[in-house]
Amino acid sequence: MRRTVRHEGPLIIGGGLAGLSAALEAAPAPVLVATPATLLEACASAWAQGGMAAALAEDDTSGLHAEDTVAAGAGLVEPERARALTDAAKDTIHWLDQLGAPFDREADGHYHLSREAAHSRARVARVGGDGAGRAILSALVTAVRASAHITLWEDARLTGLVRDADGRVRGAILTRGDRRVRVIAPAVILATGGIGGLYGRTTTPGALQGAGMALAWRAGAEILDPEFVQFHPTAIRLTTAGPDSELVSPLPLATEALRGEGARLVDRAGRYLLGEADSADLAPRDQVARVVHAAEMDGRGAFLDATQAIGAAFPTAFPAVYAACMRMGLDPRSQPIPVVAAAHYHMGGIAADADGRTTVEGLYAVGECAATGVHGANRLASNSLLEAAAFGRRAGRMARVETLPAPSALVDIMGTDLPEADLARVRDLMDRHVGVVRDAAGLTAALAELAEIEARHPEALAVTAATLVVRAALARQESRGGHYRADYPDTLAEARHSRVVREADAVPQPLLAAE
């Protein structure tokens, strides 16, 4: 059964840092936030360990931060967007501070700042060593629950989008239990997270399977650079018990801040994987991930040795990593941590500007599901939480002034879930063929398998999202940032974006159902 609800303000899909930042900033407009689980559950923001990057030190500037962001992005970062992000960083930290985010402080009251990969300065503000995401998001959750202008549906899963004959998004279809609700709203803000759940080896919640990106594409929105997936080089190699042990999914993360404090990547024999220089392990993530992947493939193994850099301080300095290791019977104070590269962040996604506006009127995208041009081919560490909050706030302010257009004929663009067996097949083929190292043979095989699954489940959103990634990866005949082709190892002189838009004649025609 389906009913229609008219909402006078923005409809926000997603309860992570981006969605909640947008919701708070949309005041005084009435906001409806729809999320499939209770706030703080099933969103990647709460799992983030490292922190939030901002030029807070005396020897740092937002200009330097922007330069590092552009350099890490391997030619595909939009410089003006990067500067918009880094210029907003300090104010974003202070805004979160005022909401109660308990950033770590030095004895003199200044923020405790860490240095992470590819940053030229120590500029990562942390919480509890490795608990930034959950602590920051908890502060926002408290503020959201206390805000009279925000209504929460914590049992609502995105199932579709609603369009009119002119192509404008008019709302979304949400599933609540066994009921479907069509919500008509002046603006829909997608804050649906990334695509880590399309992989078996992932550090993100398995429910994040690119549903927002898939539905946005079906609704006619441009998808930007979907082939660029960031693989975190230090996911903890945790396996199931028993003779047929396999990697746990999702995998716990050993935050990059450990390497910022001096932890080193070594092989089974204790040899440095990236060289002896003190800064060798702070190379951009794509480079480190490939080295870790190669060490695993050739049997040397990869380990993060923090016994000297952290040692006895582990329980208090990095409590989440310490607990994860101890659960697997390993004491990181005295033993190196076995690690693997795992899908961690999607740099590509729904093309959007710094205010979250997509190429489809009435549709916004913020956070990991959006591709705003600030991450390019390789995201700079700890810029993701910053982007979620900074650009989420901007989207909320922009969407709050949208008004409901005149009634029009509408069409529902629907999606479905995959059965577990087929989802497991998708995850396996993405791990095997669309991981750290790719080639034409593997990508072509992945497309063939996806087509076979799609033939049985033509509206499955996970298949649509995976296909967008694989097709763009096959078309990009070069290696750049997080996208490495073994058959095309060189980087082309000219950096070009991948832009994917659905064919106009493939977009569903309006139904005779009036708003």
Side-chain angles (χ1 to χ4, degrees), residues 119-401:
H119 286 275
S120 61
R121 299 287 190 276
R123 64 166 66 98
V124 179
R126 291 160 38 189
V127 181
D130 56 7
R134 191 169 190 85
I136 292 170
L137 191 59
S138 294
L140 264 71
V141 168
T142 299
V144 163
R145 292 199 185 283
S147 297
H149 75 284
I150 299 174
T151 299
L152 289 170
W153 287 1
E154 295 175 84
D155 61 350
R157 189 163 49 86
L158 178 66
T159 309
L161 291 174
V162 182
R163 281 189 40 186
D164 64 19
D166 295 324
R168 190 189 199 281
V169 164
R170 296 291 195 108
I173 308 295
L174 305 173
T175 297
R176 305 186 72 188
D178 58 357
R179 296 179 300 125
R180 283 184 175 171
V181 183
R182 176 201 270 170
V183 180
I184 303 301
V188 175
I189 300 178
L190 295 178
T192 51
I195 63 167
L198 297 178
Y199 289 82
R201 290 187 170 203
T202 182
T203 64
T204 70
L208 302 180
Q209 299 165 21
M213 179 176 71
L215 282 169
W217 176 76
R218 290 184 183 178
E222 180 181 275
I223 305 302
L224 183 70
D225 298 333
E227 67 270 35
F228 291 109
V229 180
Q230 186 168 77
F231 297 88
H232 200 292
T234 55
I236 300 174
R237 187 183 179 87
L238 179 60
T239 59
T240 57
D244 300 321
S245 65
E246 57 185 25
L247 286 179
V248 170
S249 185
L251 291 164
L253 186 66
T255 174
E256 198 159 274
L258 287 163
R259 281 177 284 139
E261 295 295 321
R264 302 301 302 268
L265 282 162
V266 298
D267 65 12
R268 203 179 311 278
R271 295 172 296 217
Y272 292 130
L273 290 183
L274 287 112
E276 295 188 7
D278 291 342
S279 61
D281 292 68
L282 293 177
R285 278 185 180 172
D286 63 304
Q287 298 175 26
V288 181
R290 286 195 294 276
V291 170
V292 168
H293 176 75
E296 180 188 8
M297 292 297 100
D298 65 20
R300 291 183 295 140
F303 301 82
L304 184 65
D305 187 349
T307 56
Q308 298 300 312
I310 312 298
F314 237 116
T316 53
F318 296 95
V321 177
Y322 177 74
C325 290
M326 294 299 285
R327 283 196 298 271
M328 61 186 284
L330 182 144
D331 190 340
R333 294 173 295 186
S334 58
Q335 297 170 275
I337 304 167
V339 295
V340 296
H344 181 63
Y345 190 87
H346 193 203
M347 276 83 71
I350 308 163
D353 65 14
D355 293 316
R357 292 175 296 192
T358 72
T359 58
V360 172
E361 192 177 356
L363 182 67
Y364 292 70
V366 293
E368 193 174 349
C369 74
T372 62
V374 299
H375 303 310
N378 186 46
R379 175 177 66 87
L380 185 65
S382 292
N383 268 357
S384 54
L385 290 180
L386 171 61
E387 184 204 17
F391 286 1
R393 296 177 72 193
R394 289 180 61 150
R397 292 193 290 266
M398 184 64 64
R400 73 186 176 195
V401 301

Side-chain angles (χ1 to χ4, degrees), residues 375-450:
H375 303 310
N378 186 46
R379 175 177 66 87
L380 185 65
S382 292
N383 268 357
S384 54
L385 290 180
L386 171 61
E387 184 204 17
F391 286 1
R393 296 177 72 193
R394 289 180 61 150
R397 292 193 290 266
M398 184 64 64
R400 73 186 176 195
V401 301
E402 297 262 15
T403 57
L404 282 168
S408 171
L410 303 177
V411 58
D412 294 342
I413 301 171
M414 302 298 295
T416 60
D417 294 329
L418 268 180
E420 281 300 318
D422 285 307
L423 179 58
R425 282 188 64 193
V426 169
R427 287 170 170 162
D428 178 63
L429 70 89
M430 294 294 282
D431 280 345
R432 285 188 289 120
H433 301 310
V434 203
V436 177
V437 178
R438 307 161 176 182
D439 60 32
L443 293 169
T444 301
L447 277 180
E449 285 199 58
L450 287 170

Side-chain angles (χ1 to χ4, degrees), residues 43-63:
C43 67
S45 300
W47 292 24
Q49 290 183 347
M52 185 174 289
L56 297 166
E58 290 185 0
D59 67 342
D60 201 4
T61 67
S62 62

